[in-house]
Amino acid sequence: MIKRIFVSNSPTFKHLELYVKDGLNTISGISGSGKSVFLHSILGAFGLKEPNAEVIEISLNVNFNNVGINLEDFGILNEYVDGESEIVISVLKKQNIRYFINNQSISKKKLSEIAKYFVKHISIKDAYELESNYMLDTLDSIIMQKDSKFGTLLSQYNKVFHEFKSCKIEIHDILDKQKNIENLKDFAQFEIDKISRINPKPGEYDKLLHDKKMLSKKEKVMQICKKALHSLDGLDHVSKAIELLDIDGGEFISIAMDLRGNIENAIDEFENLDIEPEALLERIAELSEINRKYGSEEEAIKHLESQKEKIKEYDNIEFDKTQLEKRFKELEYRIIELSESISKKRVKFIVHFEKKLNYYAKQLRLENINIKHSQGEYSHKGIDMLNILLSAKQKNVVSSGEYNRMRLAMLCVSAEYSSNCNGILILDEIDANLSGEESEGVAKLLQFLSNSYQIFAISHQPFMPLMCDQHYLISKDSNNEANIKLLDKQEQVKEIARIVGGSNLSKDTLIYAEKLLQQEKRKNS
């Protein structure tokens, strides 16, 4: 998953560039060396905590199809549509904080939503692994390995439930409409009556404005035009004079004749302008109101037709409601039928689920875990609800150590039965305040989970360093600047010896640490 981590100017790391591998990565060091700051930087890069450095950059490979994410849904262009994507997540913290995926800006909220699909942080009591939906998914994964038809049953339920939910929304919409149906019908009918009474015609308003303009100058134009025709009557004398004088006046005569024709046409047009001024002004006022409200005569006509369609819709709404209610009853019956079938299967396999949880809980030195089944409202998970108890205690009253070990047990069951368990697991001192046996159990389960997750875990006990794939040491130099180093075998022996026996390393402690490491290697070989 994560391939490279770069941090600049954090509270403890002035400059950090670290290339990491998959598997269980254990981080140790003396108190105050900067271990938690290091994990905080990783979480800050994913928007899961406030960034604690000026620059944080994480390079990683993710198969977004497997984790159920389409980056384009979050506004990020991704050239890798199928298969594994190589991405770089960056955070810049100066006057403000800016987040990027592949140099494309993204909000913290969207980034954290993406990260939650494949990054788990086990630290405080706010996880969903012990919530009903996660436990139902895990239980369903167990059932599907035993019963191949169960997956088909879940798919059928999911399809029917979504249709049931959509049908319910449509019925609510119709009921809301019915509350105001008479008002809506009255308003639609009012607009239909108004537009129908005025009965606008396309282009009518502009034509009437033209007529109004013509009417306003009719008397004056008629007087002038008649005088002009009288003047043009003397053109016969002009024509004879041109002919006697042998002057080329053909063009003048042609223009004069055209002019006479145009004036005569204009006089005819004005004489035929039979408009009642008051009626004209009233009609212009009506059309002006129509155009002001609807934009144009054409738009008013369109609105008229749409309101007529609404009246039909309102008249048909009772019929639609009846049909929807009938379909709703059919879907409800199918939902009940399918959910009962699913519930019977789940109840049957809860014992197996508990057995698996307690197998891992025993390694973590936890008391007995019980899963209590109940039924609630229909949801996309069915009607079932699960509640986890530790020796009859609710999860909200157990200690933080017990809570997080219960989470580990649940993650182990999910990893064993689900093919979709993969991602990054970050643990901040999960073995703190635990006994040696409890810490050893945590380390063994993390070793198991490292087959499904890339794990970064801080530990002050020797068991995780003994079982890890990579062991990193964080220390501070004389300038109080932190450094992180991947330990080789001899360096790992020294660090395990320090964890076991303290800072003053004795020869016996070193021999004991090396013996522990060799024993662990032989177990895994």
Side-chain angles (χ1 to χ4, degrees):
M1 296 290 285
I2 294 178
K3 302 301 178 185
R4 172 179 169 270
I5 302 168
F6 175 81
V7 179
S8 177
N9 290 328
S10 77
T12 55
F13 294 95
K14 186 174 182 181
H15 178 87
L16 165 66
E17 186 170 23
L18 185 67
Y19 290 85
V20 295
K21 298 179 181 179
D22 293 345
L24 176 54
N25 296 280
T26 298
I27 302 144
S28 65
I30 63 173
S31 296
S33 59
K35 302 181 294 298
S36 293
V37 174
F38 173 66
L39 292 190
H40 188 130
S41 295
I42 297 175
L43 293 166
F46 290 109
L48 301 175
K49 278 197 172 186
E50 287 300 309
N52 61 354
E54 286 187 8
V55 180
I56 308 172
E57 192 171 275
I58 303 284
S59 303
L60 67 159
N61 292 343
V62 183
N63 191 319
F64 288 105
N65 286 340
N66 286 352
V67 296
I69 303 174
N70 183 353
L71 284 183
E72 293 185 359
D73 292 341
F74 295 88
I76 299 297
L77 297 176
N78 181 27
E79 58 183 297
Y80 300 94
V81 178
D82 297 311
E84 197 166 66
S85 299
E86 297 180 7
I87 66 168
V88 177
I89 296 175
S90 311
V91 185
L92 302 180
K93 181 182 179 183
K94 291 186 178 179
Q95 293 179 341
N96 51 21
I97 302 172
R98 299 174 65 196
Y99 297 86
F100 302 88
I101 293 181
N102 289 348
N103 295 319
Q104 299 174 59
S105 181
I106 189 170
S107 69
K108 178 183 178 181
K109 182 180 179 181
K110 286 185 177 180
L111 176 61
S112 62
E113 285 175 2
I114 293 170
K116 284 176 182 176
Y117 280 89
F118 60 92
V119 179
K120 298 181 185 295
H121 177 216
I122 295 185
S123 176
I124 54 177
K125 291 186 180 182
D126 64 348
Y128 64 89
E129 291 91 355
L130 303 183
E131 298 301 322
S132 179
N133 282 349
Y134 187 89
M135 290 191 287
L136 285 172
D137 285 340
T138 304
L139 176 57
D140 290 346
S141 296
I142 294 172
I143 299 171
M144 281 189 281
Q145 281 204 5
K146 306 291 184 179
D147 184 349
S148 58
K149 295 180 180 179
F150 187 68
T152 303
L153 185 61
L154 290 176
S155 297
Q156 288 175 343
Y157 175 86
N158 193 54
K159 182 180 178 181
V160 174
F161 176 77
H162 282 295
E163 191 176 347
F164 172 80
K165 190 176 178 181
S166 297
C167 188
K168 190 175 183 179
I169 291 170
E170 286 184 57
I171 290 173
H172 284 161
D173 288 343
I174 283 179
L175 290 174
D176 287 340
K177 285 181 180 179
Q178 279 190 315
K179 291 176 184 177
N180 300 312
I181 196 77
E182 290 306 318
N183 290 334
L184 292 171
K185 283 181 71 173
D186 288 346
F187 180 74
Q189 191 62 53
F190 169 78
E191 292 209 304
I192 289 171
D193 293 342
K194 181 179 179 179
I195 298 171
S196 298
R197 179 181 59 79
I198 295 174
N199 192 23
K201 302 293 189 297
E204 183 183 2
Y205 182 68
D206 289 338
K207 181 181 181 302
L208 290 179
L209 287 179
H210 173 73
D211 289 348
K212 179 186 174 185
K213 185 178 179 181
M214 295 284 284
L215 191 62
S216 67
K217 60 181 182 178
K218 176 179 179 180
E219 186 176 343
K220 185 177 181 180
V221 168
M222 291 293 287
Q223 289 177 357
I224 296 299
C225 285
K226 286 179 180 179
K227 289 180 180 180
L229 285 179
H230 181 71
S231 298
L232 289 173
D233 287 342
L235 282 178
D236 290 340
H237 300 293
V238 176
S239 177
K240 288 180 181 179
I242 289 173
E243 184 181 349
L244 290 172
L245 296 172
D246 199 20
I247 299 173
D248 185 8
E251 185 176 352
F252 170 76
I253 298 301
S254 176
I255 293 171
M257 291 177 68
D258 289 341
L259 183 59
R260 174 186 283 276
N262 290 334
I263 293 172
E264 287 174 345
N265 290 336
I267 289 171
D268 290 341
E269 183 179 355
F270 276 99
E271 285 179 341
N272 293 325
L273 193 63
D274 186 18
I275 299 173
E276 184 65 38
E278 288 185 7
L280 175 66
L281 293 175
E282 184 179 340
R283 184 64 176 168
I284 287 174
E286 288 178 338
L287 291 172
S288 176
E289 176 63 19
I290 286 286
N291 288 348
R292 183 191 65 78
K293 187 169 184 179
Y294 302 108
S296 67
E297 295 97 317
E298 291 85 351
E299 291 300 319
I301 293 168
K302 287 181 183 178
H303 187 73
L304 173 66
E305 296 305 317
S306 71
Q307 293 303 96
K308 287 179 179 178
E309 290 299 318
K310 282 187 178 181
I311 290 289
K312 290 180 183 178
E313 179 186 332
Y314 298 146
D315 289 338
N316 292 331
I317 201 166
E318 190 61 40
F319 174 78
D320 293 341
K321 178 189 169 188
T322 302
Q323 294 299 107
L324 278 171
E325 286 177 337
K326 181 181 176 182
R327 179 60 179 153
F328 182 81
K329 290 293 183 184
E330 292 171 353
L331 291 169
E332 188 175 38
Y333 176 79
R334 186 68 176 138
I335 284 281
I336 293 170
E337 184 181 50
L338 289 169
S339 64
E340 285 180 353
S341 298
I342 291 169
S343 191
K344 285 178 183 177
K345 290 282 186 182
R346 286 172 171 169
V347 170
K348 179 181 176 182
F349 277 88
I350 282 177
V351 174
H352 184 78
F353 188 18
E354 285 182 337
K355 185 177 179 181
K356 273 295 173 183
L357 275 171
N358 282 297
Y359 167 77
Y360 293 110
K362 186 177 180 180
Q363 297 181 57
L364 294 167
R365 303 302 185 267
L366 285 170
E367 296 178 16
N368 194 58
I369 290 177
N370 297 109
I371 300 295
K372 295 298 180 184
H373 173 267
S374 61
Q375 291 186 333
E377 294 183 359
Y378 295 110
S379 74
H380 66 290
K381 295 293 183 185
I383 200 171
D384 303 299
M385 298 180 69
L386 300 179
N387 186 30
I388 190 167
L389 303 173
L390 180 65
S391 187
K393 293 184 292 186
Q394 297 285 345
K395 63 179 182 289
N396 60 321
V397 298
V398 302
S399 70
S400 59
E402 289 171 328
Y403 184 90
N404 284 328
R405 280 180 283 155
M406 288 167 69
R407 290 177 68 183
L408 278 183
M410 188 65 68
L411 283 172
C412 287
V413 177
S414 296
E416 182 176 347
Y417 285 95
S418 176
S419 59
N420 291 329
C421 278
N422 53 61
I424 301 163
L425 188 57
I426 298 174
L427 308 102
D428 192 347
E429 301 189 31
I430 192 171
D431 56 6
N433 303 316
L434 299 183
S435 68
E437 286 185 340
E438 291 168 342
S439 298
E440 184 178 12
V442 168
K444 285 180 178 178
L445 293 199
L446 289 180
Q447 191 179 46
F448 168 73
L449 285 172
S450 68
N451 295 315
S452 302
Y453 294 93
Q454 181 186 35
I455 302 175
F456 296 89
I458 294 173
S459 179
H460 287 289
Q461 302 221 34
F463 301 102
M464 264 193 264
L466 287 169
M467 299 181 195
C468 69
D469 296 297
Q470 289 82 225
H471 186 180
Y472 294 90
L473 175 65
I474 294 181
S475 58
K476 287 188 176 181
D477 59 22
S478 57
N479 295 322
N480 203 36
E481 291 181 7
N483 298 290
I484 186 167
K485 181 181 181 183
L486 176 62
L487 302 181
D488 60 25
K489 182 182 176 181
Q490 287 305 115
E491 291 167 333
Q492 191 177 13
V493 168
K494 288 182 180 180
E495 177 59 12
I496 292 170
R498 183 198 66 77
I499 294 171
V500 172
S503 298
N504 296 321
L505 300 180
S506 67
K507 183 178 179 181
D508 289 341
T509 307
L510 288 168
I511 291 171
Y512 176 67
E514 186 169 10
K515 182 180 178 182
L516 289 175
L517 192 59
Q518 289 174 350
Q519 286 175 348
E520 194 58 44
K521 297 297 181 187
R522 280 198 294 270
K523 287 181 188 178
N524 296 321
S525 61

